[in-house]
Amino acid sequence: MTKQITQLLHRWQQGDMDAREHLFEALYSDLMQIARQRLSSHTGGTLQPAALVNESLIRLLGAEADYKDRTHFVAIAALKMRSVLVDHLRARAADKRGGNAEQLTLSHAGEMAGDSSIGYDVMALHQALNKLGEMEPRAASTIELTYFGGMSREEIALVLDVSLPTVDRDLRFARAWLNRYLR
């Protein structure tokens, strides 16, 4: 299946719209699982997983990316989901009803590091990740792919083209830096 996904990606990049449709059908359930994981308790039920997936796919259509394989595509889709979620929460916070800031946990990243999860304001986390990305882009990408992408250490190593120990170091560093920055 992975080889078929890669072939569909390459055909789509060469302009085959049928390949794009087959690709989206093949990966939709994986993307829905990531969306459900991200939305489990963070948006008060106002953003549904299907809407998150659909909006992220629309944003993917406008992006010029050279997708290497399934893992790379799903990683980029997960980052688009992060951007959709942040935009949604910004809109809610600016709403006349005075939407409250939402809390996120770095539970998946915490499991990787062996620590308990910590809750953060979504907007503060977004700003912190952007700041971390300016200083240490790979560490920021590692945390994003772990948390927002729900990717395993092995998948992250493949996408970032680094070793597993490097992924582990980046996760430890990013998590510690975020803890310090967000306190």
Side-chain angles (χ1 to χ4, degrees), residues 74-94:
V74 170
I76 292 174
L79 295 179
K80 295 293 182 187
M81 284 185 209
R82 170 189 172 207
S83 125
V84 171
L85 181 60
V86 167
D87 289 348
H88 174 76
L89 293 172
R90 276 188 184 140
R92 278 196 56 209

Side-chain angles (χ1 to χ4, degrees), residues 18 41 61 68 109 112 118 141 147 153 175:
D18 287 336
S41 63
L61 292 175
K68 297 174 188 170
M112 301 292 286
I118 298 173
S141 293
Y147 178 71
R153 294 169 40 249
R175 195 162 191 313

Side-chain angles (χ1 to χ4, degrees), residues 29-46:
S29 65
D30 292 341
L31 297 175
M32 283 293 290
Q33 182 178 357
I34 293 170
R36 280 188 205 98
Q37 199 173 15
R38 296 291 58 88
L39 295 172
S40 61
S41 63
H42 306 306
T43 61
T46 61

Side-chain angles (χ1 to χ4, degrees), residues 53-163:
V53 169
N54 293 338
E55 179 64 26
S56 65
L57 289 176
I58 288 169
R59 291 183 186 194
L60 275 172
L61 292 175
E64 291 293 324
D66 184 21
Y67 305 110
K68 297 174 188 170
D69 55 19
R70 176 199 171 281
T71 302
H72 188 231
F73 179 83
V74 170
I76 292 174
L79 295 179
K80 295 293 182 187
M81 284 185 209
R82 170 189 172 207
S83 125
V84 171
L85 181 60
V86 167
D87 289 348
H88 174 76
L89 293 172
R90 276 188 184 140
R92 278 196 56 209
D95 192 353
K96 286 187 225 176
R97 293 173 283 154
N100 294 327
E102 297 289 336
Q103 292 288 312
L104 281 181
T105 61
L106 291 174
S107 58
H108 192 64
E111 291 167 11
M112 301 292 286
D115 295 333
S116 61
S117 63
I118 298 173
Y120 297 110
D121 175 273
V122 171
M123 298 311 297
L125 178 59
H126 174 68
Q127 292 168 351
L129 282 172
N130 286 342
K131 184 142 179 98
L132 177 60
E134 291 171 8
M135 295 173 24
E136 294 290 337
R138 193 184 64 217
S141 293
T142 301
I143 251 326
E144 289 172 335
L145 294 173
T146 301
Y147 178 71
F148 290 99
M151 299 179 82
S152 70
R153 294 169 40 249
E154 292 80 10
E155 290 172 326
I156 294 168
L158 182 65
V159 167
L160 297 180
D161 196 25
V162 296
S163 68

